[in-house]
Amino acid sequence: MIKIHRATTGMLDRGTGNDAGKAVMISRDLWFRYPSSSFWVLRGVNLEVFPGEIVLIVGSSGSGKTTLLRALTGVGVWVYGAEVKGEIYLAGRRLEKLSLEELRKSIQVVNQNPYTHFIEYVIGEDLRSSAEAIHGKIVGNRVLRKIVAALKLEDVLNKRFFELSGGQLRRVAVAKALLWDPKVIVMDEPLMWLDDEGVEEIKEILSITRSLGKALIVFEHRFIGILHLASKVLALRDGTLVPIDHEELRNPRIARDFHQYFASEEGSDRGGSELLAAEHVWFSYEKNNEWVLKDVDLVIKDPWDTVVIYGPNGSGKSTLLKILSGYLSPRKGRVLRKSRAVYLPQNVYLFFTEESLEKEFREVCTSLGKGVDCVEKGVKTMRSLGVNADLKESPFNLSWGQAIRASISIATCGEGDVVLLMDEPFTGLTYAERLFLALALKKIKAPKVMTVSNKETLSFVPQARVYELRDGYLREVQTRVDPDIIALAERCRQLGLYGAS
Amino acid sequence: MMSYIRDFAYIFVTSKKANNFGFLTKIISSGWLILSLSLPYIVPGVRLSPAQTVAAVLYGLTLLSYLAGPRRVFGMAKLLALFVVLGLFLDIISVALGSEPSNPLEVSLRAMRVFAIVVSLSTAFQLFTITEMRYLLTILGLRSYSELFSAAMAQLPATFIAFSESYVATKSKLGGRKIAALIKPLVVDSVVSSRYLAEALYMHGIPPAPKPKLLNMPRDLAMIVSVITITVLPLLSI
């Protein structure tokens, strides 16, 4: 059972709320800490949001963006039992004075994991039951029809929510939020895991929602695509919000020649025998079903090789990785593996199986029949990748960026050849963290096959052979490095929008 | 192996054809099937004939094929068959270790009965939408549990996806012998997801389950008649 704590907070004691003006949300000197923690995650957050406005909040992994979201919606207090100081006004009323229904009609959230928004499998049924519960049967269905038309959801109503792409899923989650007709909608990393088409979808959703007069607060790492829509940009740094000039992010000046980032540090032992090869691979999940992969060929033999499989969500990139790892078998063709192939999932925390980093290394080394040297080598690699966490630390406590780098060092700690199969390793990272990861990967002497679903990420791997997977076919393509993205990464680092190492 | 597990998992996700039947019919058909197969375990002295068990299995598999598709049912059947074989293997070992040998026919029937119960439970999951299950639990006076149950069921597909990812990662990292280690990341992932779920539920709530449509004739009639026939007729003839 979900226990709701209406904890006593310092928020109750200050200000009158009459001076809220026309802003639909005001936060004044907001402090927040989780129960049984002495650390204040938020330390004096001030924020004003007006109707029809999009506020973009950026920040490094672990900077407290999700915590700010929890504070602004009251979820932090009522679900987590956190301690809050300061004032929050929603539509001119103090947050803690609102009933649950009033709260839901004032602010809604599309959280990082949109799967959690649904109770019924079929989208149409889920939305209809919510609409009817909020507005009654007749009005509810009328409201739902309007929202479905506005967000162009007609085609997905009969689908089950786990069959939708990330973009579609978030679109439906926004529709569910709009059912309450809230003044403010908060979106937590809406672009996470989305391909280029999905990003376009989110841009359209933001525009439509804004045109409905809603205020939007968007927390996002990967903000360049939606920067032009934001009326203000704020960085969450050291527990406070700091305004950032749009122009600084839109036209960053590169401090040094970006090519030097990717100057070769590789060893001389290039080439050699095949480590992994896919030969004329055809794959479908069900017999007589549509082919996911058609006549795919891929050879990896260079220990410094980096191969990028680029393609939209649902194009079969992860499937190809799972075939290369040996988890799925091709229906036609074959896969030759002459080395270990280790799969790093998109949700990198699913890679960790032990309670400490030390045990992670030890278990992998034991499974390979290796001893202490293997563990030491792995730890050394991890340190060289900028992960300085204590070895007794649980890998599940690492930040997203650290977790990816730690998983790479764990996967490569044994002696001998290993091919890294990385599913969207750059997702969920700030631009600065992506640059850092790209540079870290260059130090690893192991071929890497990684999937990427958006073009901007390709700029971080200029040395890679890039293949596009579309309609089941894998074709090598030439890509152009965008120096502006590298410059933006550098600028983000200077602005402190960088993950903890 | 993994594809069988995936197919087995999908058996617990409501079929898109579930709305073809009325709520009352769903209760009668799945309830009758489960009850008739469970009676020997509940009421002392009640025995189920082999013909009844076989008939119930065949009926359950036919219904499941209609609801979930024959491929998924075939995958599930193979996985269940594996457990049955494992059970038989354990029986053989226990005999080798000095236990009294069981009657092979009795062992097979027991295995078949377990198989039949799993199949009949699966048909219930295929037939009832989450809202209907919530309604059923609510009228039984279990409102809080009905909400918990809804939330858990709704997260099932996401859990399957995480399971599949974790399986591939663990197997490629530690090899097949330590595959049980995948439980830990799954537990952590479930905890993280449940936090998001709690937040989403707080912001949206769980709508009350409306009274579902009780009957949807004539499909319902066909289902009720067939399920009663399939369980009662063998009893009369033997």
Side-chain angles (χ1 to χ4, degrees), chain A residues 402-413:
Chain A
Q402 285 178 316
I404 292 169
R405 282 176 272 135
S407 67
I408 291 166
S409 41
I410 292 163
T412 54
C413 69

Side-chain angles (χ1 to χ4, degrees), chain A residues 53 117 148 167 263 269 290 415 432:
Chain A
E53 182 180 42
H117 288 267
V148 165
D269 49 345
E290 202 177 324
E415 293 294 325

Side-chain angles (χ1 to χ4, degrees), chain A residues 379-388 436 440 443-444:
Chain A
V379 173
K380 199 175 159 191
T381 307
M382 184 175 78
R383 301 291 185 225
S384 76
L385 299 185
V387 181
N388 297 314
F436 191 80
K443 295 178 187 168
I444 300 292

Side-chain angles (χ1 to χ4, degrees), chain A residues 65-337:
Chain A
K65 296 193 295 297
T66 302
T67 299
L68 176 56
L69 181 154
R70 288 173 182 155
L72 294 177
T73 55
V75 161
V77 173
W78 297 322
V79 175
Y80 292 90
E83 186 182 351
V84 177
K85 293 193 289 184
E87 298 168 350
I88 298 172
Y89 296 97
L90 280 169
R93 293 183 62 197
R94 292 283 290 266
L95 177 69
E96 61 277 7
K97 302 280 185 198
L98 299 175
S99 68
L100 188 54
E101 194 177 343
E102 287 169 332
L103 173 81
R104 289 169 176 171
K105 286 181 174 172
S106 302
I107 188 164
Q108 276 295 328
V109 178
V110 176
N111 72 28
Q112 238 178 64
N113 181 353
Y115 286 109
T116 56
H117 288 267
F118 304 100
I119 286 294
E120 266 295 336
Y121 293 135
V122 179
I123 293 293
E125 284 177 25
D126 188 90
L127 292 178
R128 187 174 43 76
S129 62
S130 291
E132 288 178 5
I134 298 165
H135 304 286
K137 194 162 188 169
I138 296 167
V139 179
N141 281 302
R142 201 184 308 143
V143 169
L144 180 59
R145 274 197 300 276
K146 277 188 179 175
I147 291 171
V148 165
L151 291 176
K152 300 170 191 160
L153 288 172
E154 293 86 350
D155 294 341
V156 301
L157 289 180
N158 288 324
K159 290 190 175 170
R160 296 191 279 201
F161 71 83
F162 50 88
E163 294 169 345
L164 301 186
S165 71
Q168 287 173 320
L169 205 56
R170 283 191 173 82
R171 190 179 278 256
V172 180
V174 170
K176 192 159 182 179
L178 284 172
L179 288 175
W180 291 94
D181 194 21
K183 306 274 185 295
V184 184
I185 296 179
V186 188
M187 298 178 84
D188 193 7
E189 298 203 38
L191 304 185
M192 195 167 184
W193 299 337
L194 294 192
D195 57 17
D196 296 319
E197 279 175 30
V199 172
E200 290 306 312
E201 269 200 68
I202 294 293
K203 280 156 77 170
E204 191 187 356
I205 291 168
L206 292 175
S207 299
I208 293 169
T209 315
R210 183 174 60 178
S211 71
L212 295 172
K214 308 298 175 198
L216 282 141
I217 303 174
V218 181
F219 294 86
E220 185 55 60
H221 283 311
R222 196 181 135 194
F223 50 78
I224 198 71
I226 55 173
L227 194 59
H228 65 286
L229 294 170
S231 50
K232 55 182 174 240
V233 183
L234 303 162
L236 185 58
R237 215 161 41 204
D238 302 324
T240 58
L241 284 174
V242 183
I244 291 187
D245 183 4
H246 275 60
E247 291 307 309
E248 277 195 86
L249 298 173
R250 200 172 289 150
N251 300 308
R253 297 234 173 93
I254 193 151
R256 43 193 170 143
D257 179 5
F258 81 93
H259 288 293
Q260 82 175 66
Y261 284 110
F262 301 105
S264 179
E265 292 170 12
E266 298 161 358
S268 55
D269 49 345
R270 300 187 71 99
S273 60
E274 283 180 8
L275 296 171
L276 183 65
E279 292 177 359
H280 305 295
V281 165
W282 290 71
F283 182 81
S284 68
Y285 278 97
E286 295 179 23
K287 255 185 189 167
N288 308 320
N289 210 335
E290 202 177 324
W291 292 109
V292 179
L293 301 174
K294 299 171 187 169
D295 202 21
V296 166
D297 284 309
L298 187 66
V299 176
I300 291 137
K301 55 182 178 180
D302 185 337
W304 294 100
D305 209 357
T306 302
V307 171
V308 171
I309 314 286
Y310 163 73
N313 295 140
S315 58
K317 303 186 300 296
S318 301
T319 302
L320 178 54
L321 287 192
K322 285 174 186 170
I323 287 173
L324 294 176
S325 76
Y327 162 66
L328 294 173
S329 304
R331 295 232 177 246
K332 289 195 266 179
R334 62 177 184 165
V335 175
L336 301 168
R337 267 180 304 276

Side-chain angles (χ1 to χ4, degrees), chain B residues 4-5 17 66 85-86 89 122 163 203 220 232 237:
Chain B
Y4 301 149
I5 294 173
K17 293 174 183 166
Y66 168 74
V85 169
L86 278 176
F89 182 65
S122 309
F163 175 78
M203 296 311 293
D220 285 14
V232 173
S237 62

Side-chain angles (χ1 to χ4, degrees), chain B residues 144-160:
Chain B
S144 301
Y145 290 103
S146 78
E147 293 179 347
L148 271 181
F149 182 76
S150 299
M153 287 302 290
Q155 287 310 296
L156 214 53
T159 309
F160 297 154

